[in-house]
Amino acid sequence: MQKKVEYNEAIKTKYPEQVVIAVAKDPNGKANPITLGWTMIVSGSPPMMAIAVASTHYSIKAIRHCKCFTIAFPSADMADAALFFGSHSGRDMDKFAEFDCETAPAEVIDSVLINDAVANFECKLESETVAGDHIVFVGKVVCSHTSTEPKKRLYTVAPGHKMGAL
Amino acid sequence: MQKKVEYNEAIKTKYPEQVVIAVAKDPNGKANPITLGWTMIVSGSPPMMAIAVASTHYSIKAIRHCKCFTIAFPSADMADAALFFGSHSGRDMDKFAEFDCETAPAEVIDSVLINDAVANFECKLESETVAGDHIVFVGKVVCSHTSTEPKKRLYTVAPGHKMGAL
């Protein structure tokens, strides 16, 4: 049986929720990572992925500037990095300089890969759509990478940004 | 360290992946459920959710007709229903008649709720965007419901539609 409840109550049932780190270079060439839970695959052939980014976030400017972004699946041991990248703004700092997180140049797009991630997907921006207080960016995956060592993916397992493996 | 691999290999790292059942009434008034893994929240205020549906699927017609849909989070004991709804087409059958799954009328939109789900979200269609071989539908959540009993959410835990709790 179902009972009607407020949205904020109902949406607490969403956990565990996947975590990704999207990376895009700003107009100064600074690679800016942002942690996102709102992401999905949107197409199989060609492969495409979408991310929803809050309209006020600095990453909006970076993605619109370079018209591409990396989607990294952080590994379970990257919870601290994911929390840092998700709670600071690239307007004020160089997040990759402030928080130790090795990167390597992407192969096809002008972005970077996160070395310790489970996987990295290089995406070329295909479209953007306003959806409430977020912008949905759809990217076509043009190059894919996985970790050379087996790793588990990071999830948000409970409210309050509680993250871990499953 | 990362190594370049084919997309189909890299995307195998996505599991566990959330599962939802979207329901929309077709032009004959038949409620048609479809199981989807490609879904995300896209806005916090107002609350909005998105689903990606293959362009060839019968649900496209139903969603465009009624301009609304339910998003249900199936419970861990609904794996068989999720598999059935995801592997049959509403063109050929009444899925809710063929597979025992209790529903109740939605409160605000012209759709149904799934009684055994963890939660149900009634969505009014806001936009649609073509993304490769899928259509991304964005809906505004206008009413929310949760199970009166505590339940765990269903996930796809491995390739081959292997589903279960976490």
Side-chain angles (χ1 to χ4, degrees):
Chain A
M1 286 292 295
Q2 300 285 305
K3 63 178 172 193
K4 184 178 166 183
V5 297
E6 291 298 316
Y7 172 79
N8 287 340
E9 187 62 30
I11 202 61
K12 289 180 186 166
T13 63
K14 72 176 178 174
Y15 300 100
E17 185 180 56
Q18 75 280 351
V19 174
V20 303
I21 298 173
V23 187
K25 286 192 179 177
D26 73 6
N28 298 318
K30 180 179 74 181
N32 186 60
I34 184 170
T35 306
L36 303 168
W38 298 357
T39 180
M40 64 174 172
I41 304 165
V42 290
S43 174
S45 179
M48 299 172 85
M49 292 178 170
I51 51 175
V53 183
S55 308
T56 55
H57 282 189
Y58 186 66
S59 295
I60 300 283
K61 187 176 179 179
I63 294 170
R64 285 178 174 161
H65 168 73
C66 61
K67 299 190 190 314
C68 61
F69 52 90
T70 308
I71 294 179
F73 291 170
S75 55
D77 52 6
M78 288 177 62
D80 290 344
L83 193 60
F84 185 87
F85 297 153
S87 57
H88 292 79
S89 173
R91 271 192 198 91
D92 312 319
M93 67 166 66
D94 180 341
K95 296 192 214 179
F96 277 134
E98 292 289 327
F99 192 99
D100 188 33
C101 177
E102 277 187 25
T103 62
E107 187 165 319
V108 176
I109 65 170
D110 185 20
S111 183
V112 301
L113 312 177
I114 295 179
N115 289 3
D116 286 339
V118 175
N120 285 269
F121 300 90
E122 302 184 28
C123 299
K124 285 190 179 172
L125 182 62
E126 280 283 315
S127 69
E128 66 166 88
T129 308
V130 176
D133 54 14
H134 280 57
I135 310 285
V136 176
F137 293 104
V138 170
K140 185 191 287 184
V141 180
V142 293
C143 197
S144 306
H145 313 259
T146 54
S147 172
T148 53
E149 294 165 51
K151 286 175 184 276
K152 295 200 81 170
R153 201 177 161 187
L154 184 69
Y155 288 80
T156 302
V157 294
H161 306 296
K162 186 169 159 47
M163 289 185 276
L166 292 176
Chain B
M1 286 291 295
Q2 299 286 304
K3 64 179 171 191
K4 184 178 166 183
V5 297
E6 291 297 317
Y7 171 79
N8 287 340
E9 187 62 29
I11 203 60
K12 288 179 186 166
T13 63
K14 73 176 177 175
Y15 300 100
E17 184 180 58
Q18 74 282 348
V19 174
V20 302
I21 298 174
V23 187
K25 286 191 179 178
D26 73 7
N28 298 319
K30 181 180 73 181
N32 186 60
I34 185 171
T35 306
L36 303 168
W38 299 358
T39 180
M40 64 175 172
I41 304 165
V42 290
S43 174
S45 179
M48 298 171 85
M49 293 179 168
I51 51 175
V53 183
S55 308
T56 55
H57 281 189
Y58 186 66
S59 294
I60 299 282
K61 187 177 179 180
I63 293 169
R64 285 178 174 160
H65 167 73
C66 61
K67 301 192 190 315
C68 61
F69 52 90
T70 308
I71 293 180
F73 291 171
S75 55
D77 51 7
M78 287 177 62
D80 289 345
L83 192 60
F84 185 87
F85 297 153
S87 57
H88 293 79
S89 173
R91 270 192 200 89
D92 312 318
M93 67 166 67
D94 180 340
K95 296 193 214 179
F96 277 133
E98 292 290 326
F99 193 98
D100 188 34
C101 178
E102 276 188 25
T103 63
E107 186 164 320
V108 176
I109 65 170
D110 185 19
S111 184
V112 302
L113 312 177
I114 295 179
N115 289 3
D116 286 340
V118 174
N120 285 270
F121 300 90
E122 301 184 28
C123 300
K124 284 189 180 174
L125 182 62
E126 280 283 315
S127 70
E128 66 166 87
T129 308
V130 176
D133 55 14
H134 280 58
I135 309 285
V136 175
F137 294 103
V138 170
K140 185 192 289 184
V141 180
V142 293
C143 197
S144 306
H145 312 259
T146 55
S147 172
T148 52
E149 293 164 54
K151 286 173 184 276
K152 296 199 82 171
R153 202 177 158 185
L154 184 70
Y155 288 80
T156 302
V157 295
H161 307 295
K162 186 168 157 47
M163 289 184 274
L166 293 176

